[in-house]
Amino acid sequence: MTDYKNLGIRQVFVDAKEKVTGRARYLDDMTFPDQLIGKILRSPHPHARIRSIDTSEAEALEGVRAVLTAKDAPRNRFGMEIADCDIFAIDKVRYVGDEVAAVAAETAEIAREALKRIRVDYELLPVVDDPLRAMAPEAPLVHEDLKSNVVKEYHISRGDVEADFAACDYVFEHEFSTHRVSGLYLEPFGAAAWWESNGRLTMWTGMQAMFQGRNELARALGIDPTRITMKSPFIGGAFGAKIWLRNFHPIVALLARKAGRPVKLVLTREEEQLTTRPRVAPRMKVKLGMMKDGTLVCKQSEIVADNGAYSWAAPKVLLNMAMRTDCLYRFRSSKTDAYLVYTNLIPTSGFRGYGNSQMHFALESFIDMCCRKVGLDPVEVRLRNCVHKGDVTLHRWKIKSCGLDDCIAKAAEAIRKDRRPVEEGNGRIRRGIGLACMTHVSGNRSGDKFDGSGAMVRIQEDGSVFVFSGEADMGQGAKTVFAQIAAETLGVPIESITIMPIDTDVSPFALGSYSSRVTTVGGKAVLLACRQVREQVLDLAAAMTGRPVETLDLDEGVVVAAEGEPLSLPLRKVAYQAIRTNAGVSLTAFITYDPPTEGADKDFYGDYSSAYTYGAHAVEVEVDTVTGKVKVLRVVAAHDVGRTVNELGLQGQINGGVAQGIGWCLYENMLFDKGHPVNASLHGYTLMTIADMPEIESVIVESNDPVGPYGAKGVGEPTLIPTAPAIANAIEDACGVRIVDLPITPEKVYRALRKNGH
Amino acid sequence: MTDYKNLGIRQVFVDAKEKVTGRARYLDDMTFPDQLIGKILRSPHPHARIRSIDTSEAEALEGVRAVLTAKDAPRNRFGMEIADCDIFAIDKVRYVGDEVAAVAAETAEIAREALKRIRVDYELLPVVDDPLRAMAPEAPLVHEDLKSNVVKEYHISRGDVEADFAACDYVFEHEFSTHRVSGLYLEPFGAAAWWESNGRLTMWTGMQAMFQGRNELARALGIDPTRITMKSPFIGGAFGAKIWLRNFHPIVALLARKAGRPVKLVLTREEEQLTTRPRVAPRMKVKLGMMKDGTLVCKQSEIVADNGAYSWAAPKVLLNMAMRTDCLYRFRSSKTDAYLVYTNLIPTSGFRGYGNSQMHFALESFIDMCCRKVGLDPVEVRLRNCVHKGDVTLHRWKIKSCGLDDCIAKAAEAIRKDRRPVEEGNGRIRRGIGLACMTHVSGNRSGDKFDGSGAMVRIQEDGSVFVFSGEADMGQGAKTVFAQIAAETLGVPIESITIMPIDTDVSPFALGSYSSRVTTVGGKAVLLACRQVREQVLDLAAAMTGRPVETLDLDEGVVVAAEGEPLSLPLRKVAYQAIRTNAGVSLTAFITYDPPTEGADKDFYGDYSSAYTYGAHAVEVEVDTVTGKVKVLRVVAAHDVGRTVNELGLQGQINGGVAQGIGWCLYENMLFDKGHPVNASLHGYTLMTIADMPEIESVIVESNDPVGPYGAKGVGEPTLIPTAPAIANAIEDACGVRIVDLPITPEKVYRALRKNGH
């Protein structure tokens, strides 16, 4: 293995100092000259007709500078796959939180007071709060202009499942469900905007996908995307809920236009809980065909997923749910029928795992259930069936690197060591272990669409390096990974590198930080741009020294002779020569990288990610059989990351992913009563606290991907995916109780234990 | 001549609407969050030792957030050729206006009050206010660490002047002088700055040379240049006085650091008049050798120029004064001895014409004086001697395009037409005409230093075009010229082009807007980048349509088939294909262009500009022989511009240059009494008003330069250069009076008339 100076190390985040000293500026830390504060009036009803809105009292309030409702906004329907969003609710509201009106005022207090003075006359409509009922022909329509509440359906078939099931030794079938949870990033989402003197719009907002956000905003406002400049401050977490546009983005722009001043709007925590984009909530019926020796043959599933009131990424999320786990094992055939259904609940969308986590919960729970039934070791079954490097899966994914078997074996081995006693307190406390594994993508090409990233690298006249990428760092450490890749590729100290903030006028086009693509795709673009600039530097150094370019190298910011001849030419000198003399070289590279993938065809066949990631979590839990409370004691998280770039960042991702996975599995739940949220604040929404954090052991498997930069693959989402099914498996191991509907609350465990005779 | 759609037209400035509606934001229109106002305490004495400074009362004032003197500032001497500047005066002050202390306070009122409370104890020193006296060995030293008050001297000799003078039919000798005048741009200079959370400095300032300003500021502060981001707001005029750093730039940065908040400082008009960088004021002794037929043979001069208290660009200005007019005519030999001398007056520097205007005043006055003496027609003499395309001058300038003879002939012809009577009111009013011509550069390479420019051109996914250049538009219309060149080269409508604001982190490296280089060098860089991007577009269009690339063209933003075949592929579609699909092309070019020039060697030989400009002004004046008052009636301004890009902008330059030339010649003068400015405000400083503006007729000569973009050359400075000598010549033609010392005040004319017996 090559000896890298800047990779595989424990690199403190390049922006750590700014963050820990509190000097890093998030949107709410920024004040814009003459700014007004924007606030949104939201629907208190899950489904209601708007008879009238009276804003006159609000407009009359001293300090109010703009009041808007649907009649003041352009009516360009926008959305991701399906354009079903309006800037403000027109004629009717579809969920509690729907945008009805907005104000901009001199202070937040005045804005809040103005909201109170807007009178909306609603006529209540019947509420659709269950996707199965919503599919019934007589169900009220959430969107009356559409014929049905079914947003999207997929019917995907590979091989002959009927025949395969008929030939199987065992056929199992069960139903699973998962639920809505919130990303609960530390920093609530928001935006500030104003219109420039040349008529262009500037918007500050911490989005994961700034260029796509620019397009979506342009579509909502009915202007050209490049009339908008999107700039990103620091982002305090995102987890998928900040990838795409929210209604407040065009609202802020319109308020700024009406008031003729900058307007800033940051959601309150309560608004976030009402209107964030939580995980899509599906019911998943799964059927598995298996041979006596544990060979997994075929898989069939039927999914009905709750989309909520508006569709954004949920169709894509459903597609992932429908397909991705088929590529975890060597299934011979599969069939999925999947339905996404409108309800009058909060709209769902992408959340770390992006649908993949939901079906992994079902499949990875189910494999243990099946194995237990026929007396097979689930770890052995996984090892027997898991995919390997060189495989082409039934969806035609080409597996170019794969450490899945290693992950399973190492996680299983580690969790079995140093186990605590399986019983304590006369059997009140029961302990067990469980394992689950996962696969995910590092990038995701849809059809013939671009799935790459750009990078611009400039060496300045003093030898310092500016790296421009359009891929967001929402706290996950992208800036640090880019800086490491740049330092390694160029041969300069990491301190000389500045990762520039995202500005859509300047940053190279980028799709954004989702699909765990930042390191693999954005990082590769940085690598390629650095390589080009490095060549420019060495060419000039060759001309300056009269030595052949192939004998020169850049190391720690100094041009050195490869053969150890005495030569010491600082990059600073080469850069000055390039830029300030008649050498006239810009020492700049601007590149676009698009990974060598195909994109899925109309039947969803295709190798749409350049690298697939794998992992296995093994957990040890204890169950208090009197209260039903589950405590996770230990998690071994084994991940095939291709190659470690920043070990510290990787462990951060693993710790965060595991914590969020436990939260999803045991603690968090967005609850509704007839469409009304009942716990949309941190008072009612249960989060895991530090007291319940288990010991986490990371196992890094390096499969050295042939495409990713220096072999690296994405790890952002994978770290969360297998945690929940591993816990469910461990609970059954501990106390014989199997919970198939998330979250696994003490009440569910308690009731199941009682049913089992405890 | 090729038929251009976007060149040679009357293009309204692309930012005209913003400016006339008052929406364009100049520095003082900008408010930065939490900003403080900075103010500077300046020396009231031309020369004094600082015994002590007591800032305690100022510091104690409520609302004062930072107080600084020399003891708080880094001591990195800075300057352009000679590092003789400190951020604050150390131990002594050298002119009235020298920076002694500074404060940052919550309001301008508090800041002003704080300045009043700073106690400085001065010990007065003898004042040096005349460069000739300053050269004497016993003169007090302005800079005691230097051995003499002579800042710089040049001794340049070409051919054998001694022998040539001896062989001439006529030898003439005379002395001329010009004076300090102020640029008097509408917008006073200023800066705002703050330190970012990552320790970098952001500064907003409307400088002409932002990258060089960044370097100079870095040097003053003792940090790396790339730790600074310089951003430019709109600039309200500059004329050379905003090219380089002023002391307030590092002062604002230091105030911001000490206060931990943004600080904005905009000079008052009075401060501008005290500390702006006025035109270098020389005495010029000129000796000319001529044959009977009017052939100019040789030229000798001795220049003693007043530098003022600190040197910035004055050495370069002196060098231009010493050399450039030698290349206006086909002199066989020349010799110049030039001295630049410190005084305790306001420091001089570059001002539109950059030294060239001063010596043109002397030479172009003198040629008329000589011709009058020996009865030759000065127009004929100029035509006989002027340089032509193909010439290599005695300084080795290679004249690749030249319309000088055309300019002279056309200006002379036009001014002779429609003349008013030469006398009126019984001889009280006398009218006359005069002509003078000029040469100047379009870029200026010093030694082996870079003299080029960069450009980045990006086509966005909606087909709009962003052009990044580091060359400033200080009101002269650079943005419009760049947009026209981009529209023409790409084949898109000008409306689809946005010229991006300057930001040193992002804009390609550029030397800045001086030496009339913006169109020629910056515009050429834009052209070359556009050509590259156009190729990228057509290559992709060829792939999309299956047609050979050479049959395709871009016209008005649409890809068309050259042969008129039916094809209509909007750029918008190609751009979308490039950026949003797996075509994966960035449609971006980042180029560095360095013109094919040599730079001067150590003896100042060399072809240091890619194009030289020429022009002739002919004027008609009337003199009131009773009062001595001169009124300019008409100016014909003929200029070889290479190729007209924007006729409207060109006329604006000509009108402005002529007005400023008249102002310099007849009205403006910065006056001093023993080193004390006596008219450093708009009350005392006489400006020409609109009532005195003459009729101006522009004559455009197109010599089609082979290097400039589409043949264009710079016109920024040339338009001012010949106005003053043409007026002086016309005055003598009108009333027989020759004034050789600028300005030509009524008093001087009156006295000369009386001496002549009027």
Side-chain angles (χ1 to χ4, degrees):
Chain A
M1 201 150 70
T2 325
D3 193 23
Y4 296 122
K5 286 192 177 165
N6 297 283
L7 305 175
I9 59 170
R10 297 177 68 79
Q11 175 67 48
V12 171
F13 278 12
V14 292
D15 50 8
K17 204 171 156 189
E18 285 165 88
K19 288 182 174 175
V20 298
T21 56
R23 287 187 302 146
R25 300 212 306 166
Y26 297 83
L27 183 69
D28 211 19
D29 299 321
M30 303 175 85
T31 311
F32 302 91
D34 271 336
Q35 79 175 22
L36 299 170
I37 298 298
K39 291 275 174 200
I40 293 172
L41 183 71
R42 300 180 178 280
S43 167
H45 304 297
H47 203 188
R49 193 149 320 275
I50 299 173
R51 284 208 196 100
S52 67
I53 307 179
D54 179 0
T55 59
S56 56
E57 259 191 77
E59 277 159 33
L61 186 64
E62 174 87 23
V64 170
R65 299 286 170 247
V67 179
L68 297 176
T69 67
K71 74 174 167 34
D72 310 298
R75 299 203 171 183
N76 310 297
R77 288 210 140 188
F78 55 100
M80 194 175 163
E81 289 210 1
I82 295 140
D84 58 8
C85 298
D86 290 296
I87 297 176
F88 288 104
I90 300 175
D91 302 333
K92 76 170 196 173
V93 290
R94 295 179 177 85
Y95 79 104
V96 175
D98 218 345
E99 289 80 3
V100 174
V103 301
E106 297 290 345
T107 66
E109 292 66 32
I110 298 172
R112 273 193 293 266
E113 180 56 34
L115 291 188
K116 285 186 202 152
R117 297 186 183 199
I118 297 175
R119 313 268 167 241
V120 187
D121 183 13
Y122 291 105
E123 174 196 338
L124 301 192
L125 296 172
V127 174
V128 186
D129 64 352
D130 177 276
L132 289 175
R133 282 199 303 272
M135 288 174 83
E138 69 281 5
L141 289 172
V142 177
H143 291 268
E144 279 140 2
D145 51 333
L146 304 172
K147 284 176 216 110
S148 135
N149 284 327
V150 176
V151 188
K152 188 91 185 181
E153 53 191 282
Y154 297 103
H155 304 283
I156 301 167
S157 177
R158 306 293 186 231
D160 187 347
V161 271
E162 305 277 320
D164 286 342
F165 274 120
C168 275
D169 295 331
Y170 309 123
V171 174
F172 306 102
E173 196 165 355
H174 212 96
E175 197 172 323
F176 302 83
S177 75
T178 69
H179 60 305
R180 275 179 172 79
V181 286
S182 159
L184 264 177
Y185 24 85
L186 280 175
E187 183 212 14
F189 209 1
W194 60 92
W195 297 81
E196 303 285 351
S197 58
N198 58 7
R200 301 181 79 235
L201 172 67
T202 297
M203 179 172 281
W204 281 89
T205 185
M207 284 179 96
Q208 295 173 244
M210 291 285 274
F211 280 89
Q212 306 210 56
R214 183 176 72 165
N215 278 44
E216 293 157 0
L217 179 59
R219 184 174 177 189
L221 295 173
I223 63 178
D224 276 342
T226 53
R227 303 297 296 165
I228 305 171
T229 306
M230 305 273 282
K231 287 167 184 268
S232 180
F234 275 84
I235 307 180
F239 307 113
K242 294 181 183 170
I243 304 179
W244 317 110
L245 198 73
R246 299 267 191 93
N247 289 50
F248 68 76
H249 286 107
I251 289 175
V252 168
L254 294 174
L255 286 172
R257 180 142 70 191
K258 186 152 186 195
R261 285 166 61 181
V263 174
K264 185 169 87 172
L265 183 151
V266 177
L267 298 179
T268 62
R269 183 58 71 185
E270 289 69 26
E271 276 182 296
E272 269 288 13
Q273 288 297 86
L274 279 180
T275 67
T276 187
R277 292 295 177 260
R279 202 179 277 294
V280 175
R283 300 200 65 74
M284 299 162 285
K285 217 179 276 175
V286 185
K287 189 170 160 189
L288 270 182
M290 200 195 249
M291 303 308 285
K292 277 190 174 151
D293 65 359
T295 302
L296 293 167
V297 180
C298 47
K299 167 175 173 269
Q300 185 167 358
S301 33
E302 193 190 294
I303 308 169
V304 176
D306 179 354
N307 173 86
Y310 299 96
S311 142
W312 200 270
K316 281 234 179 288
V317 169
L318 182 68
L319 185 62
N320 292 347
M321 221 182 282
M323 293 181 66
R324 287 199 184 158
T325 55
D326 299 354
C327 300
L328 183 58
Y329 301 110
R330 290 169 159 172
F331 288 111
R332 195 192 296 166
S333 59
S334 75
K335 186 171 187 303
T336 306
D337 298 285
Y339 303 87
L340 185 67
V341 188
Y342 282 124
T343 61
N344 291 120
L345 301 182
I346 179 173
T348 58
S349 190
F351 181 160
R352 200 176 194 175
Y354 225 87
N356 206 18
S357 15
Q358 290 92 316
M359 187 51 95
H360 269 86
F361 174 71
L363 178 64
E364 288 294 290
S365 293
F366 199 30
I367 284 176
D368 267 48
M369 290 160 69
C370 301
C371 289
R372 183 171 296 266
K373 261 193 192 151
V374 298
L376 289 169
D377 176 357
V379 171
E380 292 305 316
V381 167
R382 286 188 172 92
L383 284 170
R384 164 185 290 271
N385 290 283
C386 71
V387 293
H388 288 267
K389 179 176 165 179
D391 282 7
V392 177
T393 73
L394 41 61
H395 298 312
R396 296 197 193 137
W397 294 11
K398 293 171 188 155
I399 312 302
K400 291 171 281 287
S401 65
C402 179
L404 178 53
D405 53 352
D406 242 20
C407 289
I408 298 170
K410 286 182 174 166
E413 191 194 336
I415 203 71
R416 283 171 187 149
K417 267 202 295 191
D418 309 320
R419 282 195 58 180
R420 304 204 198 169
V422 296
E423 276 197 27
E424 214 170 89
N426 292 329
R428 171 174 175 168
I429 301 298
R430 304 284 286 268
R431 300 201 177 91
I433 57 173
L435 180 143
C437 46
M438 57 74 49
T439 183
H440 201 67
V441 295
S442 303
N444 182 358
R445 187 187 300 283
S446 19
D448 68 344
K449 293 289 183 287
F450 182 65
D451 191 37
S453 194
M456 176 163 68
V457 173
R458 284 180 71 179
I459 299 190
Q460 303 276 335
E461 56 185 296
D462 58 3
S464 67
V465 182
F466 286 180
V467 175
F468 296 81
S469 163
E471 310 293 358
D473 189 333
M474 59 265 203
Q476 86 277 38
K479 281 189 210 167
T480 307
V481 163
F482 290 170
Q484 288 180 271
I485 289 175
E488 188 66 37
T489 310
L490 286 167
V492 301
I494 197 165
E495 295 72 30
S496 66
I497 289 165
T498 306
I499 307 298
M500 304 304 288
I502 297 179
D503 173 332
T504 55
D505 286 350
V506 170
S507 310
F509 181 83
L511 290 176
S513 298
Y514 59 86
S515 285
S516 301
R517 59 191 296 288
V518 175
T519 297
T520 324
V521 184
K524 183 71 173 266
V526 170
L527 180 151
L528 294 172
C530 287
R531 246 185 224 165
Q532 265 189 27
V533 173
R534 189 175 172 281
E535 275 172 31
Q536 294 168 12
V537 169
L538 293 183
D539 281 346
L540 182 56
M544 287 168 74
T545 59
R547 290 165 193 254
V549 65
E550 60 276 13
T551 67
L552 299 178
D553 199 7
L554 244 176
D555 185 46
E556 292 288 307
V558 178
V559 177
V560 293
E563 298 305 313
E565 296 167 68
L567 171 75
S568 177
L569 177 62
L571 174 57
R572 179 181 283 264
K573 270 198 185 167
V574 181
Y576 188 91
Q577 179 81 358
I579 294 165
R580 296 304 298 265
T581 77
N582 57 14
V585 184
S586 57
L587 296 191
T588 297
F590 190 111
I591 71 112
T592 291
Y593 165 72
D594 201 16
T597 53
E598 294 159 9
D601 66 15
K602 66 173 181 32
D603 297 320
F604 310 107
Y605 279 110
D607 185 36
Y608 59 81
S609 175
S610 72
Y612 301 93
T613 45
Y614 301 94
H617 285 190
V619 303
E620 184 180 5
V621 302
E622 66 180 28
V623 181
D624 182 331
T625 54
V626 171
T627 63
K629 191 170 179 332
V630 173
K631 187 170 166 59
V632 180
L633 299 172
R634 201 152 65 92
V635 177
V636 179
H639 285 277
D640 166 16
V641 302
R643 163 95 64 198
T644 307
V645 177
N646 184 8
E647 199 185 295
L648 261 183
L650 195 52
Q651 280 182 348
Q653 286 280 26
I654 288 173
N655 293 350
V658 166
Q660 220 164 24
I662 297 173
W664 181 43
C665 183
L666 299 181
Y667 297 92
E668 303 177 47
N669 196 2
M670 298 178 89
L671 295 165
F672 299 86
D673 179 16
K674 298 190 186 72
H676 288 269
V678 298
N679 63 344
S681 80
L682 293 186
H683 291 291
Y685 188 86
T686 320
L687 269 179
M688 181 173 70
T689 64
I690 190 73
D692 291 315
M693 260 303 264
E695 191 186 317
I696 299 173
E697 183 183 335
S698 312
V699 177
I700 306 301
V701 171
E702 293 193 311
S703 62
N704 197 13
D705 187 72
V707 180
Y710 297 102
K713 306 197 271 194
V715 293
E717 294 166 281
T719 54
L720 172 146
I721 293 173
T723 315
I727 293 171
N729 294 342
I731 291 170
E732 187 169 12
D733 185 54
C735 64
V737 155
R738 169 59 64 175
I739 308 293
V740 293
D741 300 305
L742 287 185
I744 305 178
T745 57
E747 184 183 344
K748 285 184 194 165
V749 175
Y750 174 90
R751 287 187 193 279
L753 282 166
R754 293 303 161 272
K755 213 167 139 190
N756 284 9
H758 263 273
Chain B
M1 200 150 71
T2 325
D3 194 23
Y4 295 123
K5 286 193 176 164
N6 296 284
L7 305 176
I9 58 170
R10 297 177 68 79
Q11 174 67 48
V12 171
F13 278 12
V14 291
D15 51 7
K17 202 170 156 190
E18 286 165 87
K19 287 182 174 175
V20 298
T21 55
R23 287 186 304 146
R25 302 213 305 165
Y26 297 84
L27 182 70
D28 211 18
D29 299 321
M30 302 176 85
T31 310
F32 302 91
D34 270 336
Q35 79 175 24
L36 299 170
I37 298 298
K39 291 275 173 200
I40 293 171
L41 183 70
R42 298 179 179 281
S43 168
H45 306 297
H47 203 188
R49 196 151 315 276
I50 299 172
R51 284 208 198 99
S52 66
I53 307 178
D54 179 359
T55 58
S56 55
E57 261 192 73
E59 277 159 32
L61 188 65
E62 174 87 24
V64 170
R65 299 287 170 247
V67 180
L68 297 175
T69 66
K71 73 173 169 36
D72 310 299
R75 299 204 172 182
N76 309 297
R77 289 210 139 188
F78 56 100
M80 193 176 164
E81 288 211 1
I82 296 140
D84 59 7
C85 298
D86 290 297
I87 296 175
F88 289 103
I90 300 175
D91 301 334
K92 76 170 196 171
V93 292
R94 295 180 177 84
Y95 79 105
V96 174
D98 218 348
E99 290 79 3
V100 174
V103 302
E106 297 290 347
T107 67
E109 292 67 31
I110 298 172
R112 272 193 293 267
E113 180 56 32
L115 291 189
K116 285 185 202 154
R117 298 187 184 198
I118 298 174
R119 312 269 167 243
V120 188
D121 184 13
Y122 291 106
E123 173 195 338
L124 300 192
L125 297 172
V127 173
V128 186
D129 64 352
D130 176 274
L132 289 174
R133 282 201 301 275
M135 287 173 85
E138 69 281 6
L141 289 170
V142 176
H143 292 266
E144 280 140 1
D145 51 333
L146 305 172
K147 284 173 217 113
S148 136
N149 283 327
V150 176
V151 188
K152 188 92 184 181
E153 53 190 282
Y154 297 104
H155 305 282
I156 300 167
S157 177
R158 306 294 187 229
D160 187 346
V161 270
E162 304 279 318
D164 286 342
F165 274 120
C168 276
D169 296 331
Y170 309 122
V171 175
F172 306 101
E173 198 165 355
H174 213 97
E175 197 172 324
F176 301 84
S177 75
T178 69
H179 60 306
R180 275 180 172 79
V181 287
S182 159
L184 264 175
Y185 24 84
L186 280 176
E187 183 213 14
F189 208 3
W194 61 90
W195 296 81
E196 303 285 352
S197 59
N198 58 7
R200 302 181 80 235
L201 172 67
T202 297
M203 179 172 281
W204 281 89
T205 185
M207 285 179 96
Q208 296 174 245
M210 292 285 275
F211 281 87
Q212 306 210 56
R214 184 177 71 165
N215 279 42
E216 293 157 2
L217 179 59
R219 186 175 175 188
L221 295 172
I223 61 177
D224 276 343
T226 52
R227 301 298 296 163
I228 305 171
T229 305
M230 304 275 281
K231 289 168 182 265
S232 181
F234 274 85
I235 308 180
F239 307 114
K242 294 181 184 170
I243 304 179
W244 316 110
L245 198 73
R246 299 266 191 94
N247 289 49
F248 68 75
H249 287 106
I251 289 174
V252 167
L254 294 173
L255 286 171
R257 180 141 70 190
K258 187 153 183 192
R261 285 166 60 181
V263 173
K264 184 169 86 170
L265 183 152
V266 177
L267 297 180
T268 62
R269 182 58 71 184
E270 288 70 25
E271 275 181 298
E272 269 287 12
Q273 288 298 88
L274 280 180
T275 67
T276 186
R277 291 298 177 258
R279 202 179 277 292
V280 175
R283 300 200 65 76
M284 298 161 286
K285 217 179 277 174
V286 185
K287 189 171 158 188
L288 271 182
M290 198 194 248
M291 303 309 284
K292 277 190 176 148
D293 65 357
T295 303
L296 293 167
V297 180
C298 46
K299 165 175 174 271
Q300 186 168 355
S301 34
E302 194 190 291
I303 307 169
V304 177
D306 179 355
N307 173 86
Y310 298 96
S311 142
W312 201 270
K316 281 235 181 287
V317 169
L318 182 69
L319 185 63
N320 293 346
M321 222 182 278
M323 293 181 64
R324 287 198 184 158
T325 56
D326 299 354
C327 300
L328 183 57
Y329 301 110
R330 289 168 159 174
F331 288 112
R332 196 190 297 163
S333 59
S334 74
K335 185 169 188 305
T336 306
D337 299 285
Y339 303 87
L340 184 67
V341 188
Y342 282 124
T343 61
N344 291 120
L345 301 181
I346 178 173
T348 58
S349 189
F351 181 161
R352 199 175 194 175
Y354 226 86
N356 206 17
S357 15
Q358 289 92 315
M359 186 51 96
H360 270 85
F361 173 70
L363 179 64
E364 288 295 291
S365 292
F366 199 26
I367 283 177
D368 268 46
M369 289 160 69
C370 300
C371 290
R372 183 169 294 267
K373 262 194 192 147
V374 298
L376 288 168
D377 176 355
V379 171
E380 293 305 317
V381 167
R382 287 188 172 91
L383 284 169
R384 165 184 289 271
N385 290 283
C386 72
V387 293
H388 288 266
K389 179 176 166 179
D391 283 7
V392 177
T393 73
L394 40 62
H395 298 313
R396 297 201 192 133
W397 294 11
K398 293 171 187 155
I399 313 301
K400 291 171 280 288
S401 65
C402 179
L404 179 55
D405 54 352
D406 243 20
C407 290
I408 297 170
K410 286 181 174 163
E413 190 194 336
I415 203 71
R416 285 173 187 147
K417 267 202 294 192
D418 308 322
R419 282 195 57 181
R420 303 205 199 166
V422 295
E423 275 196 28
E424 213 170 89
N426 291 328
R428 171 174 173 168
I429 302 297
R430 304 286 287 268
R431 300 201 178 90
I433 58 171
L435 179 143
C437 48
M438 58 72 51
T439 182
H440 202 68
V441 295
S442 303
N444 182 357
R445 188 188 301 281
S446 19
D448 68 343
K449 294 290 182 288
F450 183 63
D451 191 37
S453 195
M456 177 163 69
V457 173
R458 283 180 71 179
I459 299 190
Q460 303 276 335
E461 56 186 295
D462 58 2
S464 68
V465 181
F466 286 180
V467 175
F468 296 80
S469 162
E471 309 294 357
D473 189 332
M474 58 264 201
Q476 87 277 37
K479 280 189 210 164
T480 307
V481 163
F482 289 170
Q484 289 180 268
I485 289 174
E488 188 66 38
T489 310
L490 287 168
V492 301
I494 197 166
E495 295 72 30
S496 66
I497 289 164
T498 305
I499 308 297
M500 303 305 287
I502 298 179
D503 174 332
T504 55
D505 286 351
V506 170
S507 310
F509 181 82
L511 290 176
S513 298
Y514 59 86
S515 285
S516 299
R517 60 192 296 288
V518 175
T519 297
T520 324
V521 183
K524 183 70 173 266
V526 170
L527 181 152
L528 294 173
C530 286
R531 243 184 226 166
Q532 265 189 28
V533 173
R534 188 174 173 280
E535 274 172 32
Q536 294 169 10
V537 169
L538 294 184
D539 281 346
L540 181 56
M544 288 168 74
T545 59
R547 290 167 193 253
V549 67
E550 60 276 13
T551 66
L552 299 179
D553 199 6
L554 243 178
D555 185 45
E556 293 287 306
V558 178
V559 178
V560 293
E563 299 304 313
E565 295 168 69
L567 172 74
S568 177
L569 177 62
L571 174 57
R572 178 182 282 266
K573 267 197 186 166
V574 181
Y576 187 90
Q577 180 80 357
I579 295 165
R580 296 303 299 265
T581 76
N582 57 12
V585 183
S586 58
L587 296 191
T588 297
F590 190 111
I591 71 111
T592 291
Y593 165 71
D594 202 15
T597 53
E598 293 156 12
D601 66 15
K602 68 176 177 32
D603 298 318
F604 309 108
Y605 281 109
D607 184 38
Y608 59 80
S609 174
S610 73
Y612 301 94
T613 45
Y614 301 94
H617 286 191
V619 303
E620 184 179 5
V621 303
E622 67 181 27
V623 181
D624 182 331
T625 55
V626 171
T627 62
K629 192 172 181 328
V630 173
K631 186 169 165 61
V632 180
L633 300 171
R634 202 151 65 93
V635 177
V636 180
H639 284 278
D640 166 17
V641 303
R643 162 95 64 198
T644 307
V645 177
N646 184 8
E647 198 185 295
L648 218 51
L650 196 51
Q651 280 182 348
Q653 286 280 24
I654 288 172
N655 293 350
V658 165
Q660 219 163 26
I662 298 173
W664 183 43
C665 183
L666 299 180
Y667 297 92
E668 303 177 47
N669 196 3
M670 299 178 89
L671 296 166
F672 299 87
D673 180 16
K674 299 191 185 71
H676 288 269
V678 298
N679 63 344
S681 80
L682 292 186
H683 290 291
Y685 187 85
T686 320
L687 269 179
M688 181 174 72
T689 64
I690 191 72
D692 292 315
M693 259 303 263
E695 191 186 316
I696 300 173
E697 183 184 334
S698 314
V699 177
I700 306 300
V701 171
E702 293 193 310
S703 62
N704 197 10
D705 187 74
V707 179
Y710 297 102
K713 306 198 273 196
V715 293
E717 293 166 280
T719 55
L720 171 146
I721 293 172
T723 316
I727 293 171
N729 293 342
I731 291 169
E732 187 169 11
D733 184 55
C735 64
V737 153
R738 170 59 62 176
I739 308 295
V740 294
D741 299 307
L742 287 184
I744 305 178
T745 57
E747 184 183 342
K748 285 183 194 166
V749 174
Y750 174 89
R751 286 187 194 279
L753 282 165
R754 294 302 161 272
K755 213 167 135 189
N756 284 9
H758 265 274

